[in-house]
Amino acid sequence: MKNSRMNKEIKLCRSAKILTSLLFSVILILTLFSAGCINNTQADIKTTPVEMPPDISVAQLELISDMKNVDTSITIDLYDLADKVGYASSIDEIKEICLNYYGDNIWIEKLIYYNTRGEGSNVMVPELSDEIHMTDYLPIPTQSDLENAGGILHVDCVYVPGEGYVNANYAAVYSSDGTYKGFLILVYDIYVILNLHPLIVDEENTYESYVCFIIDKNNKVVFSTNSEWIGETVPKDGQLNNGQSVIIVESEEYGAYKYSSGAFYNYLRGTNTEKITAWQRFTSYKNTYTIYLVKELNQPEMEYSDIFSIDVGSSLKSVEKAFVYASLHNKEDTLSAITDGLFTGNVAAMDMEGNVLAITAKQHIGLNYMNNRGTYGTSYVESMIYTAQQGGGYVYYLYPVESSIVTRGSQFSIAYILPVDSEWFIFGRLNGCEDVIPMDLSLRSDLTSVSRAVINDAFDDGIDSVILKIKTNSDKGGKEFVSDITNDVSVSVADYNGYMYANSNNPSLVGTIQTGYTDVYGGSTMRKMIMLAKAGGGYMTDLRSNPDKEGYIDLWLYSVEPIDSHYFVDTGIIIGTYEDYLTDYLS
């Protein structure tokens, strides 16, 4: 009975699936935070109510339609998947169904089959080690919960350590005779969907030139182009202000206002900038949301000389001075000194949970930045915490920067970290290259597709077969597994002890333990990969010396994914070449 009802709903919704190509391109608009970790400007914001401009009205309608279409698409996929799993006769067959679906949908973070009847072990794709218990953090619904929800449940913005904020959809699974078997959990990150979903990354919509915030009925930000605000709550009688964008809670169903500030951007300090914001309430995922679309009205062109001032010596010395100060004073006095601007440059303090403890831009103090991401999804704040736990050093990333010159661009940035003790650290930002680098979505898509293909091949043919393919076809790299990728992708397989089994980029490393390998500034690359693989996978960056251009370094982007509880795969690609301005100073 229940499978019959599901199939009817699938057929009714099937025609809507083709509309999913529209979802959310607005979120591909780049984060307004200027280069680096945290903007140190304080905005004086003034607002004025205005009429709703026609283009914003159209953009709102498109965005609402897109969200609802994706809601429908995910629901259809889950019904399909739950139906297939329900007819499976063994755990191995269920694992194969889930793995194939995971491999075909690179925007999925995790896929879990939770067998509540205890027949065999639960299935989680990618397969994680026993120490990872993601379901400890995700709500576990009962059979009646799922039945009352019509078989599908949606959970917004759950914080999972090591994962950041995730969304989860649940689907009840029934056997062919209608017996309840358990449920599937589809775990995804909206940021990843918006950057990787094959049906949406190439779409252009009328709302593409806007910054977007989506707020739930509890005034929590469930999605924002400024990804660090996901999970933050807008005060009911106040405003959420990050120094560049503002959300003011309104009581009407929709409306618009202008606001202006003299300090939306570091590089426009002292220049008045006006923006217009419009909001509208709508229902999706069976919940009520409010969207805020923010459009810039008069942003002057970037002046590179105002953005990038490479002064390595003073930047590092400021962090070191703050570190010395912390060794001579108590924590409270040190945090006050940083907040009061005693140290020049971009100096701040953070704890090991990603909470901002001190910064001159006081509106950021107390906020959690664990979910901060670079342009290609690298969790650079998580990397900062790991680096602090390892004794300090550098973290590199491409940070989204919006301008009138490049609408989808990045800035190469470096963070310098010094741990004070096991609970908190001091860090500073070093601005890197002068260029605003266009974002190329094919880079991350190629990395992920190759990683997923390797996992599928390992599941179908065994890990030894995958290792042999990489060894014997090292010149092909990732094209050995996905022939139609457009970029040169390196592929390697290692275990959780750092032993290298295959490496297309550097075959000489095969048979060696690489836990001691460091990048050009002393960061432990293999250790970071192992940590990332154990946490379920993700993206990271690394710096290597450029072999053909003396005095320059290559910034690599990696996708790291566990193959099983013993092996992981990393795929890598060069995303930029920059002048090495740190080595001379460090020597």
Side-chain angles (χ1 to χ4, degrees):
M1 283 290 292
K2 295 184 184 296
N3 281 322
S4 175
R5 175 179 55 78
M6 289 180 189
N7 288 330
K8 286 181 180 179
E9 294 191 34
I10 292 169
K11 291 175 181 177
L12 289 173
C13 295
R14 189 72 70 180
S15 61
K17 195 170 184 180
I18 59 173
L19 298 175
T20 57
S21 60
L22 293 173
L23 163 74
F24 276 127
S25 291
V26 63
I27 314 303
L28 296 177
I29 306 167
L30 295 171
T31 304
L32 288 180
F33 261 20
S34 58
C37 301
I38 298 175
N39 189 332
N40 287 321
T41 56
Q42 177 71 46
D44 178 21
I45 292 174
K46 299 176 182 179
T47 63
T48 305
V50 295
E51 290 185 12
M52 179 85 75
D55 61 335
I56 289 187
S57 180
V58 172
Q60 285 182 333
L61 292 174
E62 282 199 7
L63 178 57
I64 292 169
S65 175
D66 293 348
M67 285 196 68
K68 291 182 177 180
N69 288 332
V70 168
D71 185 3
T72 302
S73 174
I74 292 176
T75 300
I76 293 171
D77 279 356
L78 261 181
Y79 272 136
D80 277 340
L81 198 59
D83 201 40
K84 292 177 181 177
V85 169
Y87 279 88
S89 57
S90 67
I91 285 292
D92 286 341
E93 189 177 349
I94 292 172
K95 183 181 290 187
E96 183 175 6
I97 292 168
C98 291
L99 187 66
N100 288 334
Y101 183 75
Y102 177 79
D104 292 338
N105 293 273
I106 60 177
W107 52 271
I108 295 174
E109 293 283 292
K110 307 284 184 298
L111 183 61
I112 303 167
Y113 171 60
Y114 196 91
N115 189 331
T116 59
R117 300 187 64 190
E119 296 174 355
S121 59
N122 296 331
V123 172
M124 181 179 290
V125 178
E127 184 176 338
L128 304 182
S129 59
D130 293 337
E131 62 203 64
I132 305 298
H133 301 286
M134 193 164 190
T135 50
D136 290 347
Y137 303 96
L138 292 170
I140 302 300
T142 64
Q143 179 180 354
S144 60
D145 289 335
L146 288 161
E147 288 177 349
N148 292 336
I152 295 286
L153 274 177
H154 174 77
V155 178
D156 275 319
C157 224
V158 178
Y159 183 78
V160 179
E163 303 288 335
Y165 288 98
V166 301
N167 290 265
N169 276 16
Y170 299 75
V173 175
Y174 298 91
S175 64
S176 57
D177 62 1
T179 303
Y180 177 69
K181 293 179 64 175
F183 54 85
L184 286 168
I185 312 176
L186 183 68
V187 182
Y188 59 94
D189 182 333
I190 292 291
Y191 182 91
V192 176
I193 292 179
L194 302 173
N195 283 274
L196 282 184
H197 200 294
L199 296 178
I200 66 173
V201 293
D202 296 323
E203 292 293 325
E204 292 190 9
N205 301 290
T206 59
Y207 52 75
E208 197 169 28
S209 59
Y210 295 85
V211 181
C212 179
F213 296 88
I214 300 177
I215 315 298
D216 69 10
K217 61 184 178 182
N218 298 315
N219 279 11
K220 183 163 62 177
V221 181
V222 295
F223 186 78
S224 171
T225 47
N226 292 338
S227 60
E228 63 273 15
W229 291 101
I230 298 177
E232 296 298 327
T233 300
V234 184
K236 290 185 177 180
D237 299 321
Q239 63 185 34
L240 181 64
N241 168 27
N242 67 2
Q244 298 163 344
S245 298
V246 60
I247 302 173
I248 298 176
V249 177
E250 300 291 346
S251 59
E252 302 296 331
E253 291 298 313
Y254 59 88
Y257 54 81
K258 282 185 184 180
Y259 60 90
S260 61
S261 171
F264 279 119
Y265 301 93
N266 280 337
Y267 60 87
L268 293 176
R269 197 168 294 166
T271 302
N272 184 68
T273 301
E274 288 189 340
K275 297 185 178 182
I276 188 166
T277 294
W279 69 92
Q280 183 169 333
R281 291 199 178 97
F282 67 99
T283 300
S284 184
Y285 296 116
K286 302 178 182 178
N287 289 312
T288 300
Y289 296 95
T290 306
I291 59 169
Y292 291 84
L293 290 174
V294 182
K295 184 176 185 180
E296 190 156 31
L297 298 181
N298 65 336
Q299 179 185 349
E301 287 193 358
M302 281 184 170
E303 293 292 337
Y304 289 138
S305 60
D306 293 336
I307 315 170
F308 308 101
S309 54
I310 300 175
D311 189 350
V312 176
S314 64
S315 296
L316 297 183
K317 286 177 181 176
S318 292
V319 178
E320 290 163 357
K321 284 180 181 179
F323 176 77
V324 172
Y325 189 95
S327 67
L328 301 174
H329 298 78
N330 61 38
K331 182 176 181 179
E332 183 179 349
D333 288 345
T334 303
L335 297 180
S336 296
I338 293 173
T339 301
D340 294 340
L342 181 63
F343 311 102
T344 59
N346 299 308
V347 178
M350 186 177 285
D351 66 19
M352 298 301 180
E353 302 296 325
N355 298 302
V356 180
L357 303 178
I359 192 170
T360 54
K362 296 181 177 65
Q363 70 268 25
H364 298 288
I365 296 174
L367 298 178
N368 186 281
Y369 284 86
M370 181 67 81
N371 204 42
N372 267 31
R373 306 211 182 209
T375 300
Y376 292 99
T378 56
S379 299
Y380 67 86
V381 172
E382 192 171 356
S383 296
M384 289 168 62
I385 293 168
Y386 171 73
T387 301
Q389 291 171 338
Q390 298 301 307
Y394 301 90
V395 171
Y396 342 104
Y397 52 99
L398 285 175
Y399 202 88
V401 55
E402 181 176 321
S403 75
S404 56
I405 301 171
V406 179
T407 58
R408 294 182 180 178
S410 311
Q411 179 199 350
F412 173 48
S413 298
I414 299 178
Y416 178 45
I417 295 102
L418 288 176
V420 179
D421 56 32
S422 61
E423 296 181 352
W424 65 291
F425 59 93
I426 293 169
F427 68 96
R429 183 186 77 243
L430 310 177
N431 289 333
C433 172
E434 292 184 348
D435 296 330
V436 176
I437 307 133
M439 179 167 60
D440 182 356
L441 292 173
S442 71
L443 298 179
R444 208 175 82 165
S445 180
D446 282 358
L447 288 181
T448 309
S449 61
V450 172
S451 292
R452 298 287 169 85
V454 169
I455 293 171
N456 276 328
D457 280 13
F459 181 78
D460 292 337
D461 305 324
I463 187 66
D464 291 338
S465 174
V466 168
I467 291 170
L468 183 62
K469 278 185 180 181
I470 299 172
K471 284 181 175 180
T472 56
N473 298 283
S474 59
D475 58 320
K476 294 176 66 175
K479 292 185 178 180
E480 171 65 22
F481 298 91
V482 183
S483 60
D484 61 348
I485 57 175
T486 57
N487 300 284
D488 292 328
V489 174
S490 67
V491 189
S492 68
V493 172
D495 64 21
Y496 294 106
N497 294 315
Y499 184 88
M500 187 70 68
Y501 290 87
N503 189 313
S504 68
N505 188 62
N506 192 348
S508 65
L509 299 180
V510 174
T512 65
I513 295 176
Q514 288 296 301
T515 50
Y517 172 78
T518 60
D519 58 41
V520 293
Y521 300 141
S524 179
T525 303
M526 178 56 76
R527 290 183 186 275
K528 286 191 285 187
M529 286 184 173
I530 292 170
M531 293 280 286
L532 199 54
K534 285 185 174 182
Y539 303 92
M540 59 172 279
T541 51
D542 182 38
L543 281 176
R544 300 184 189 176
S545 297
N546 184 292
D548 304 316
K549 198 172 182 181
E550 186 177 355
Y552 284 79
I553 48 180
D554 293 329
L555 179 66
W556 284 71
L557 176 68
Y558 291 101
S559 169
V560 180
E561 291 207 56
I563 295 174
D564 55 26
S565 58
H566 301 287
Y567 304 94
F568 67 89
V569 57
D570 75 81
T571 53
I573 195 167
I574 296 176
I575 52 178
T577 300
Y578 309 96
E579 187 175 359
D580 178 3
Y581 62 90
L582 270 178
T583 297
D584 290 343
Y585 177 83
L586 295 175
S587 60

